[in-house]
């Protein structure tokens, strides 16, 4: 009877670890954007951060992302100040968030290394406004984790971010966003 109880414990512990290993995490995801307008100017309107957080559940395909708006770094400190104070109002809306899932999780063989195309959909919140989005990306399965990449276009006007007419030619309403995350198995 004692051996049977130990066997049950080992099976349950093994199943718990398998289920637990299906979650992946990073707090060092990279997000970059380019908001250059049509006017040919010497100033780049680009920024990036490498402190975005992502949690991904392999068993369900669900994911959550969060990035602090003040973590975006610009080459020009004044541009960074304007971004935080005048455009995204970081004090009032400190985070951008995405909650969604991989629509085609069966397209990814998580037990076989390789790069797999995926479609992700969900809700993105920027500047206090939430919109449904659907974008393409890739999941690269590696021996020690996952790499997730995506690129998308975001319209500032969709999120209530106004561009003053004074800088309308320098700053585009359509912003190119790229995302790269190296996720590792989640450990308590």
């Amino acid at each position: 009877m004692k051996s049977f109880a130990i066997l049950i414990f080992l099976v349950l512990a093994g199943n718990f670890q398998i289920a637990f290993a299906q979650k992946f995490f990073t707090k060092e995801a990279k997000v970059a954007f380019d908001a250059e307008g049509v006017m040919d100017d010497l100033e780049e309107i680009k920024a990036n951060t490498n402190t975005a957080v992502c949690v991904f559940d392999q068993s369900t395909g669900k994911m959550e992302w969060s990035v602090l708006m003040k973590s975006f770094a610009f080459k020009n400190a004044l541009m960074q100040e304007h971004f935080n104070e005048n455009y995204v109002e970081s004090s009032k809306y400190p985070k951008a968030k995405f909650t969604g899932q991989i629509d085609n999780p069966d397209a990814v063989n998580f037990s076989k290394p390789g790069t797999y195309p995926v479609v992700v959909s969900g809700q993105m919140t920027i500047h206090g406004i939430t919109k449904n989005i659907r974008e393409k990306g890739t999941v690269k399965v590696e021996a020690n984790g996952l790499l997730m990449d995506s690129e998308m276009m975001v319209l500032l006007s969709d999120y209530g971010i106004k561009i003053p007419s004074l800088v309308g030619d320098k700053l585009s309403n359509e912003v190119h966003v790229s995302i790269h995350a190296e996720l590792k198995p989640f450990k308590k």
Side-chain angles (χ1 to χ4, degrees):
M1 186 66 158
K2 195 178 202 182
S3 298
F4 182 71
I6 291 172
L7 179 63
I8 293 295
F9 173 77
L10 290 174
V11 167
L12 289 174
N15 284 341
F16 177 74
Q17 284 188 341
I18 290 169
F20 198 66
Q22 292 176 335
K23 294 194 179 186
F24 293 83
F25 173 79
T26 186
K27 58 183 179 180
E28 298 174 343
K30 295 168 178 50
V31 179
F33 69 81
D34 181 344
E36 285 189 48
V38 295
M39 187 174 175
D40 186 23
D41 197 18
L42 296 176
E43 286 189 306
E44 294 180 337
I45 303 178
K46 297 179 180 181
N48 61 59
T49 181
N50 60 0
T51 61
V53 175
C54 175
V55 178
F56 174 69
D57 186 336
Q58 170 191 326
S59 65
T60 63
K62 292 184 179 181
M63 65 179 69
E64 291 190 28
W65 291 77
S66 180
V67 61
L68 288 173
M69 299 309 282
K70 286 188 177 182
S71 70
F72 282 101
F74 291 76
K75 286 183 180 178
N76 180 323
L78 183 60
M79 200 176 293
Q80 188 162 333
E81 182 180 323
H82 285 235
F83 169 79
N84 284 300
E85 292 179 9
N86 303 333
Y87 297 105
V88 296
E89 300 175 274
S90 297
S91 296
K92 190 175 181 180
Y93 308 106
K95 293 181 183 177
K97 298 187 296 184
F98 173 77
T99 303
Q101 70 280 331
I102 293 177
D103 291 347
N104 57 334
D106 295 338
V108 182
N109 183 347
F110 290 101
S111 62
K112 181 181 176 187
T115 303
Y116 304 92
V118 295
V119 176
V120 175
S121 64
Q123 295 188 319
M124 185 156 55
T125 303
I126 301 173
H127 199 240
I129 296 175
T130 302
K131 295 282 185 183
N132 291 325
I133 67 165
R134 190 166 195 259
E135 299 292 339
K136 294 178 182 178
T138 59
V139 173
K140 183 175 183 182
V141 177
E142 295 185 330
N144 60 347
L146 305 173
L147 299 179
M148 290 186 170
D149 289 286
S150 184
E151 293 190 16
M152 67 186 83
M153 298 305 281
V154 173
L155 295 178
L156 297 179
S157 57
D158 283 351
Y159 295 94
I161 299 171
K162 296 181 174 109
I163 302 171
S165 57
L166 183 63
V167 294
D169 288 341
K170 294 181 181 183
L171 180 63
S172 176
N173 181 50
E174 189 174 65
V175 178
H176 177 260
V177 179
S178 62
I179 299 162
H180 174 76
E182 297 179 21
L183 294 105
K184 302 294 181 199
F186 185 75
K187 297 176 185 173
K188 267 193 168 177

